[in-house]
Amino acid sequence: MKTQETLYLGIDGGGSKCRVLLTDDKENRLASGIAGPANPNQGLDLAINSILDATQQALEQARLPAGYIDQLIVGIGLAGVNLPKYRLMLEQWDHPFKQMHITTDLHIACLGAHGGQDGAVIITGTGSCGMVQVNGTQIELGGHGFSVGDQGSGAWLGIKAVKLCLQSLDGLMPHSGLVPRLLELTQCNNAQQLAERMANLAPAGYARLAPLVLECAEAGDENALGIVRAGADYLNRLAYKLMSHQPPRLSMIGGLAQKIQPWLDADIRTLIQPAIQPPEIGAIHFAQQQV
Amino acid sequence: MKTQETLYLGIDGGGSKCRVLLTDDKENRLASGIAGPANPNQGLDLAINSILDATQQALEQARLPAGYIDQLIVGIGLAGVNLPKYRLMLEQWDHPFKQMHITTDLHIACLGAHGGQDGAVIITGTGSCGMVQVNGTQIELGGHGFSVGDQGSGAWLGIKAVKLCLQSLDGLMPHSGLVPRLLELTQCNNAQQLAERMANLAPAGYARLAPLVLECAEAGDENALGIVRAGADYLNRLAYKLMSHQPPRLSMIGGLAQKIQPWLDADIRTLIQPAIQPPEIGAIHFAQQQV
């Protein structure tokens, strides 16, 4: 490799992991790295440590000296930077890169899914959100956070199941197989224990219940069906709204994307196409578009 | 007053206020006191300070010496003591009273509402819950806390309105008058501000929106109607379940009780009777039943 060649680093910084990908200027993969959370709302120091840790891994893997970091043109997509407070925190970081271009995790996912071209994307994993990019315009929908949004996400399916089971155990909703299965999974014997153990958890604590809810719905459990259909109804409305901007493609990514798709409207299902590239490459597209 | 006469103190310890009532053994009111929060899940020291503060006020008002505290037979109803952890904290308190008998805030509200006799009660204020006491059996329903329960409460109506407005601002739900009214009340201009300001609030932060939701529903706003009807549906089911135990009376108390009643089923509305006594007297009934 030529010394001082300009390289690109794409960073996908999420709430649980930070992934980086190092490429040359033709997007050829040179190396990758992975580290801990890089969500600025969990603390800027933690995010910076994760970013630098993953970057160092990639440089080592590419057999480049650590000092090469000042030659990297970086695109970084982070959850939370749609909020001015967190964006400003990142912008004020005296970073060691040649350049750093900041956008949202949703934006780099959308760019990656469509190979840097226009398109729409729905992310549904622990949380949920959607984005459409057409003719230079970007519209982000949903993603308002677990307490007041994130409908149709894994955490949403999970907390809906807890609420429903509590009502069922109180005799206010019909019983179904979901109830004993959820008690078993959470190692609870009654409503009081369930309320005590499952109150005020982080989103991931509810999202771990989502596979059970989907499994029960697939088996025809009426309570689980009600929850999954309500989640799918939100994702349908989100998809129709994104498609109203006439993007050339629609992708759906995230941990719940495969499992929830069979519950969506047929009109939407037929539109969904695979993501072409991962978000880290989307981040590199973003950096290249800014340079 | 005879020296060393046995007096009763009823304590209603809630999440925002602690009310005490001092009576003689015929339940004749001698004095009262009011202090800060006495919910053990907000810290035992705070709860104890509030209890002792309000008690001291009552003794002073009755012109009794502070040392008279060791002659008081106390009944105390506290939110949270249905959970063993908080009940144990209270029981381990080396209290200065002659006797202290602990139960839930819901139980003393029920005893007060029905003059110490059997009956059922629904509390709907910031949170919601129900209880029925018949022939020595007490059943508590709901009250599982805001994150996984409290349907039909003020906080629940409020957060439902925030969620709905965010979807409406995203173009995923029909617009209605509720949306601009809520933005005005919360001093927000758009979905991003609303999500940022109204995420992860304490229940009281959402409950302050409930009057607006009810007002819009009364004016026929379709979005507000959907929320209020869903809340009333839960309270109907709670009431029917409580009545299935055939209590002689049903009362509904709490800050939202009057406003939500017109939305309940006619069958339920006709059953609701006024509370006979306040929870503090219910606490004294409870103490007398234990002595």
Side-chain angles (χ1 to χ4, degrees):
Chain A
M1 189 172 301
K2 279 182 298 183
T3 317
Q4 304 306 322
E5 182 186 5
T6 294
L7 300 183
Y8 286 85
L9 186 75
I11 305 180
D12 178 21
S16 57
K17 278 195 283 284
C18 173
R19 292 172 191 279
V20 308
L21 187 73
L22 184 69
T23 74
D24 62 20
D25 59 2
K26 304 285 184 300
E27 288 171 32
N28 293 308
R29 183 188 182 287
L30 300 176
S32 63
I34 185 165
N39 190 332
N41 69 18
Q42 293 180 33
L44 184 61
D45 288 348
L46 180 68
I48 287 175
N49 278 340
S50 298
I51 290 165
L52 293 179
D53 183 4
T55 303
Q56 219 47 61
Q57 286 174 34
L59 288 173
E60 278 173 33
Q61 202 180 85
R63 298 175 189 263
L64 287 166
Y68 207 99
I69 198 166
D70 65 7
Q71 291 305 306
L72 302 179
I73 294 183
V74 172
I76 182 166
L78 290 171
V81 300
N82 51 325
L83 303 182
K85 174 169 70 168
Y86 296 119
R87 194 185 176 94
L88 198 65
M89 276 167 65
L90 253 290
E91 284 175 346
Q92 288 175 340
W93 174 29
D94 184 23
H95 68 79
F97 308 115
K98 185 171 182 184
Q99 294 175 21
M100 181 176 72
H101 303 283
I102 304 168
T103 189
T104 63
D105 54 342
L106 189 52
H107 190 193
I108 63 166
C110 192
L111 284 167
H114 307 299
Q117 304 301 309
D118 282 358
V121 71
I122 292 177
I123 305 185
T124 176
T126 302
S128 72
C129 54
M131 177 174 188
V132 58
Q133 170 163 310
V134 186
N135 301 326
T137 302
Q138 293 133 22
I139 298 169
E140 299 199 357
L141 298 175
H144 302 304
F146 179 56
S147 75
V148 293
D150 281 7
Q151 288 87 348
S153 69
W156 186 89
L157 293 178
I159 199 167
K160 282 278 172 187
V162 172
K163 290 174 179 179
L164 186 146
C165 285
L166 287 169
Q167 287 203 39
S168 179
L169 293 165
D170 277 349
L172 305 179
M173 288 272 291
H175 206 73
S176 80
L178 176 63
V179 180
R181 294 287 305 278
L182 192 100
L183 289 175
E184 189 190 358
L185 182 60
T186 55
Q187 297 184 286
C188 294
N189 294 315
N190 53 47
Q192 186 181 305
Q193 282 185 352
L194 188 64
E196 207 170 348
R197 255 175 229 175
M198 299 307 290
N200 303 312
L201 301 185
Y206 299 108
R208 76 184 179 90
L209 310 178
L212 173 64
V213 181
L214 285 158
E215 185 193 320
C216 288
E218 282 154 22
D221 182 292
E222 282 299 328
N223 281 327
L225 279 170
I227 295 171
V228 172
R229 283 179 183 145
D233 171 61
Y234 174 82
L235 297 174
N236 281 330
R237 285 182 284 123
L238 182 58
Y240 286 120
K241 186 73 190 172
L242 294 170
M243 294 312 293
S244 73
H245 295 276
Q246 305 187 294
R249 295 180 92 246
L250 170 67
S251 292
M252 197 163 171
I253 60 178
L256 205 68
Q258 292 304 316
K259 287 271 192 182
I260 199 81
Q261 277 185 43
W263 300 95
L264 300 181
D265 282 358
D267 289 354
I268 298 300
R269 284 204 313 273
T270 56
L271 289 173
I272 297 171
Q273 290 181 269
I276 297 171
Q277 296 167 326
E280 302 94 281
I281 301 257
I284 291 170
H285 287 304
F286 178 72
Q288 289 173 329
Q289 290 169 3
Q290 306 301 307
V291 172
Chain B
M1 187 175 298
K2 281 181 298 182
T3 318
Q4 304 304 321
E5 185 186 1
T6 295
L7 300 183
Y8 285 86
L9 186 77
I11 306 180
D12 178 21
S16 57
K17 277 195 283 285
C18 173
R19 292 172 190 278
V20 308
L21 186 74
L22 184 68
T23 73
D24 63 18
D25 59 2
K26 304 286 185 298
E27 289 170 30
N28 292 308
R29 183 188 183 287
L30 301 176
S32 63
I34 186 164
N39 191 331
N41 70 18
Q42 293 180 30
L44 184 62
D45 287 349
L46 179 67
I48 288 174
N49 278 340
S50 297
I51 290 165
L52 293 178
D53 183 5
T55 303
Q56 219 49 60
Q57 286 175 33
L59 288 173
E60 277 173 33
Q61 200 180 85
R63 297 172 191 267
L64 288 166
Y68 207 101
I69 198 168
D70 65 5
Q71 291 305 306
L72 303 179
I73 294 181
V74 172
I76 181 166
L78 291 170
V81 300
N82 53 324
L83 302 182
K85 175 169 68 167
Y86 296 118
R87 191 183 177 94
L88 197 66
M89 275 167 65
L90 253 291
E91 284 173 347
Q92 289 175 341
W93 175 29
D94 185 22
H95 67 78
F97 307 116
K98 185 171 181 185
Q99 295 175 20
M100 181 176 73
H101 304 283
I102 304 167
T103 190
T104 62
D105 55 342
L106 188 51
H107 190 194
I108 64 166
C110 192
L111 283 166
H114 308 298
Q117 305 300 308
D118 281 359
V121 71
I122 292 177
I123 306 185
T124 176
T126 303
S128 72
C129 53
M131 177 176 188
V132 57
Q133 170 164 309
V134 186
N135 302 323
T137 302
Q138 293 135 21
I139 298 169
E140 299 197 356
L141 298 175
H144 301 305
F146 178 56
S147 74
V148 291
D150 282 8
Q151 288 87 350
S153 68
W156 186 90
L157 293 178
I159 199 167
K160 283 277 170 187
V162 172
K163 290 175 179 180
L164 185 146
C165 285
L166 286 169
Q167 286 202 39
S168 179
L169 293 165
D170 277 350
L172 305 179
M173 290 271 293
H175 206 71
S176 81
L178 176 63
V179 180
R181 294 287 306 277
L182 193 100
L183 288 174
E184 188 190 358
L185 182 60
T186 56
Q187 297 183 286
C188 293
N189 294 316
N190 53 45
Q192 186 180 305
Q193 282 184 351
L194 188 63
E196 206 170 348
R197 257 176 228 175
M198 299 307 289
N200 302 312
L201 301 185
Y206 298 108
R208 76 182 179 91
L209 310 177
L212 172 65
V213 181
L214 285 158
E215 185 194 322
C216 288
E218 282 155 21
D221 182 290
E222 283 298 327
N223 281 327
L225 278 169
I227 296 171
V228 172
R229 283 178 183 146
D233 173 60
Y234 174 81
L235 298 173
N236 281 330
R237 286 184 283 121
L238 182 58
Y240 285 121
K241 186 71 188 174
L242 294 171
M243 294 312 293
S244 72
H245 296 278
Q246 304 188 296
R249 295 179 93 246
L250 171 67
S251 292
M252 197 162 169
I253 59 179
L256 205 69
Q258 293 303 316
K259 286 271 192 184
I260 199 81
Q261 277 184 44
W263 299 95
L264 300 181
D265 282 358
D267 290 354
I268 298 298
R269 285 205 311 274
T270 56
L271 289 173
I272 296 171
Q273 293 181 266
I276 296 170
Q277 297 167 324
E280 302 94 282
I281 301 260
I284 291 171
H285 288 305
F286 177 71
Q288 289 173 331
Q289 289 169 1
Q290 308 300 307
V291 171

